[in-house]
């Protein structure tokens, strides 16, 4: 809309100015809205391009290969866990060369769902019979040093000292025994001839 058109309609100058001012305000608001929408469109277009590029990169990924690698890792981890379990069991039983026995046993060992050796007692009995030379026998000998005497220290308990005797006097131990096992305390007192 322009001034000549409005003058041609026979409108007065004041009215024409008001109409043009109102029209200018409305056009300015519409231009602002258009600028805002243009900015939004540009942002969305840039986001779409970025997303399309990412999709393109993801389409290049070989999902089957990743699944294969994941399966191999899981199988390898399970195998390592079973080997660790077997190695620990053999070592606990006194095996002198666990690597050799692991090699000889190969994949013939049965494991349960949790990765533990099935029926470990029978398994170890069989392995000890078949590979007897691979297990230590407790033997005394040597120069008398404690390190020269292989022992299973978990099964050997040192003789208990009587805390009520003059030689083994221990007030703390006396109190512990009296609280935890009064019958044992009576026996030890009687043994030490203490009232």
């Amino acid at each position: 809309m322009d001034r000549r058109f409005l003058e041609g309609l026979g409108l007065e100058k004041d009215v024409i100015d008001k109409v043009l001012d109102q029209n200018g305000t409305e056009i300015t608001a519409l231009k602002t809205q258009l600028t805002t929408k243009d900015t939004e469109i540009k942002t969305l277009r840039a986001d779409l391009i970025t997303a399309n590029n990412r999709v393109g990169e993801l389409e290049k990924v070989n999902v089957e290969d990743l699944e294969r690698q994941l399966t191999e890792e899981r199988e390898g981890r399970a195998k390592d866990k079973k080997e660790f379990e077997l190695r620990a069991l053999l070592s606990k039983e006194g095996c002198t060369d666990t690597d050799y026995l692991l090699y000889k046993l190969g994949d013939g060992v049965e494991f349960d769902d949790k990765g533990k050796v099935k029926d470990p007692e029978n398994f170890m009995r069989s392995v000890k019979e078949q590979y007897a030379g691979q297990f230590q026998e407790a033997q005394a000998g040597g120069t008398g040093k404690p390190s020269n005497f292989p022992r299973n220290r978990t099964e050997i308990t040192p003789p208990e000292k009587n805390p009520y005797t003059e030689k083994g006097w221990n007030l703390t131990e006396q109190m512990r025994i009296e609280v935890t096992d009064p019958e044992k305390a009576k026996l030890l007192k009687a043994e030490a001839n203490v009232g």
Side-chain angles (χ1 to χ4, degrees):
M1 182 179 305
D2 64 0
R3 188 174 290 278
R4 282 189 204 147
F5 173 75
L6 293 174
E7 285 174 354
L9 293 174
L11 296 174
E12 294 180 9
K13 184 177 185 305
D14 291 349
V15 173
I16 292 173
D17 288 341
K18 287 182 182 180
V19 169
L20 287 177
D21 285 345
Q22 182 60 35
N23 187 34
T25 303
E26 290 176 5
I27 288 176
T28 303
L30 289 173
K31 283 184 179 179
T32 303
Q33 286 179 356
L34 281 175
T35 303
T36 303
K37 294 298 178 188
D38 280 345
T39 304
E40 288 177 18
I41 289 170
K42 286 177 185 175
T43 302
L44 291 173
R45 185 173 288 139
D47 290 347
L48 180 62
I49 290 169
T50 301
N52 284 339
N53 289 339
R54 286 193 135 166
V55 168
E57 290 172 8
L58 291 174
E59 287 174 346
K60 293 177 187 176
V61 172
N62 186 345
V63 175
E64 292 169 358
D65 185 48
L66 289 176
E67 288 175 349
R68 180 190 54 77
Q69 288 176 19
L70 180 61
T71 302
E72 287 174 0
E73 282 296 319
R74 285 182 177 156
E75 289 170 357
R77 185 167 182 211
K79 183 179 178 185
D80 289 345
K81 187 176 180 182
K82 289 176 181 177
E83 181 182 323
F84 178 79
E85 173 69 23
L86 184 56
R87 189 178 294 274
L89 181 62
L90 291 171
S91 294
K92 178 182 169 192
E93 293 294 324
C95 179
T96 57
D97 191 353
T98 54
D99 291 328
Y100 173 75
L101 274 185
L102 289 175
Y103 168 75
K104 291 304 264 182
L105 294 170
D107 294 331
V109 182
E110 292 185 37
F111 293 90
D112 62 15
D113 295 340
K114 295 180 182 177
K116 302 286 184 187
V117 175
K118 283 187 179 179
D119 194 10
E121 293 83 19
N122 286 332
F123 169 75
M124 284 310 302
R125 189 177 313 115
S126 170
V127 170
K128 283 183 175 182
E129 287 172 8
Q130 195 171 2
Y131 302 102
Q134 293 298 316
F135 292 90
Q136 279 182 328
E137 294 297 324
Q139 300 171 1
T143 61
K145 288 184 174 180
S147 61
N148 289 340
F149 294 93
R151 296 183 185 119
N152 186 350
R153 296 187 190 282
T154 58
E155 294 177 9
I156 299 172
T157 55
E160 186 175 345
K161 291 183 180 178
N162 188 335
Y164 295 98
T165 63
E166 186 176 325
K167 190 174 183 180
W169 185 262
N170 185 333
L171 187 59
T172 304
E173 188 64 15
Q174 290 175 12
M175 296 308 294
R176 186 190 67 76
I177 293 172
E178 287 180 20
V179 169
T180 60
D181 194 354
E183 291 299 317
K184 184 177 180 181
K186 286 179 186 177
L187 290 172
L188 291 173
K189 283 180 182 180
E191 186 180 289
N193 294 324
V194 175

